[in-house]
Amino acid sequence: TAEADFLTVSGLHAGYGQAHVLQGLDFSVARGEVCAVLGPNGAGKTTTLRALCGMVRGRGSVTLNGTQLLGRSPEHAARLGVAHVPEGRGTFNDLTVEENLRIGAHLRGGLWRRSRVERAAVAADLERVYGHFPRLRRRSGQAAGSLSGGEQQMLAIGRALMLRPTLLLLDEPSLGLAPLVTRELFEIVRTVNEEERTTVVVVEQNAQLALDIAHRAHVLEAGRLVLSGPARQIREDGQVAEVYLGVS
Ligand code: ATP
């Protein structure tokens, strides 16, 4: 069905110079689904996300709604509704929370068209994002650099949501965060997915967390998918968890 073909990756090879990282990936993500990409360090998770948003070149095919993304620019992917939240977040420390969020709208192509309609649209998007992240609303005038790690991650995701993405790519959102704030963050991602029907691909070291919110999961090992299936099934298969995910 068209739903099942929202994001389709086939025969994807990608890497950096001599480093051939992805060795032929095949998977697809249905519209509205949360998909987790799991696996050990260096397996190629980050590279997979980069290939989905035009940040690395590769062979094979990555299509979104039938449009080829591979070999196109990150700007092209962004225009098609792909928002990428890289590891390390990339928010601007000296700008306030709200200024960072407005930059997200700017990337959508909004701010230089200073029409009343566009200003109203940005205001509505800010409201939407603050609705998901009450902590950001409370800190809207505060410099991003003064936020906690968890709040900075929320800001990075909030900024991506200002693009009104149809596909949200999250790279290791839990990295370096305390368990409690991580759980809060993942609950918000789940809510965004449910309320806005945003399709999410999340790369995580913390398999348990990701499997809690994911519908499907793929396990990568040395640039190949070694396991794919419904998240529930992967979560409940103790042996799988132990062998591939380092949990028991
Ligand atoms: P991690 O959780 O450690 O980020 P990962 O599964 O996301 O792991 P990738 O970051 O995709 O893995 O890296 C896969 C391989 O590609 C690694 O061997 C890494 O050293 C290499 N690699 C990543 N980025 C680059 C780069 N910019 N230039 C050269 N090699 C790279």
Side-chain angles (χ1 to χ4, degrees):
T1 67
E3 290 280 297
D5 291 341
F6 181 59
L7 176 70
T8 305
V9 174
S10 45
L12 175 63
H13 288 255
Y16 312 89
Q18 303 288 19
H20 185 182
V21 178
L22 303 181
Q23 319 263 344
L25 300 189
D26 296 283
F27 67 95
S28 61
V29 183
R31 187 191 290 276
E33 201 170 59
V34 177
C35 164
V37 178
L38 311 172
N41 262 312
K45 305 184 297 295
T46 294
T47 306
T48 303
L49 274 201
R50 288 181 181 151
L52 301 187
C53 65
M55 287 178 67
V56 297
R57 298 290 157 125
R59 280 192 291 121
S61 155
V62 175
T63 60
L64 184 72
N65 260 332
T67 304
Q68 187 59 241
L69 293 180
L70 203 62
R72 307 297 303 270
S73 66
E75 291 74 21
H76 177 79
R79 272 197 303 277
L80 292 174
V82 181
H84 177 228
V85 181
E87 211 179 289
R89 298 149 205 166
T91 50
F92 299 99
N93 283 341
D94 295 335
L95 300 184
T96 66
V97 165
E98 187 146 324
E99 286 164 344
N100 270 280
L101 292 176
R102 286 180 179 279
I103 285 172
H106 189 80
L107 295 174
R108 195 182 70 218
L111 287 192
W112 53 80
R113 284 183 273 127
R114 293 186 171 275
S115 69
R116 181 181 303 185
V117 170
E118 189 54 36
R119 278 201 305 273
V122 172
D125 286 331
L126 271 174
E127 209 34 55
R128 217 184 93 240
V129 168
Y130 284 145
H132 288 303
F133 297 98
R135 280 182 190 236
L136 295 183
R137 187 196 297 278
R138 288 198 295 276
R139 288 166 173 68
S140 62
Q142 198 171 313
S146 68
L147 300 177
S148 73
E151 289 162 355
Q152 287 184 22
Q153 186 60 258
M154 290 177 188
L155 179 57
I157 296 174
R159 187 176 62 180
L161 291 178
M162 291 293 289
L163 277 164
R164 296 185 211 147
T166 54
L167 176 63
L168 180 64
L169 308 175
L170 303 176
D171 199 350
E172 297 271 3
S174 78
L175 197 74
L177 304 185
L180 214 59
V181 73
T182 308
R183 195 147 287 286
E184 185 184 339
L185 190 69
F186 273 70
E187 280 309 319
I188 294 172
V189 172
R190 187 209 299 270
T191 305
V192 168
N193 164 256
E194 285 172 358
E195 291 181 358
E196 302 192 13
R197 281 202 89 212
T198 313
T199 306
V200 179
V201 177
V202 57
V203 157
E204 259 297 336
Q205 290 274 356
N206 189 332
Q208 216 117 55
L209 259 176
L211 288 171
D212 268 353
I213 68 161
H215 302 105
R216 291 184 68 78
H218 303 284
V219 182
L220 260 181
E221 206 173 56
R224 289 192 168 84
L225 286 183
V226 290
L227 189 70
S228 293
R232 179 177 303 133
Q233 190 179 314
I234 292 181
R235 198 167 49 221
E236 285 166 6
D237 186 327
Q239 197 182 353
V240 161
E242 207 173 318
V243 172
Y244 294 111
L245 311 176
V247 295
S248 51

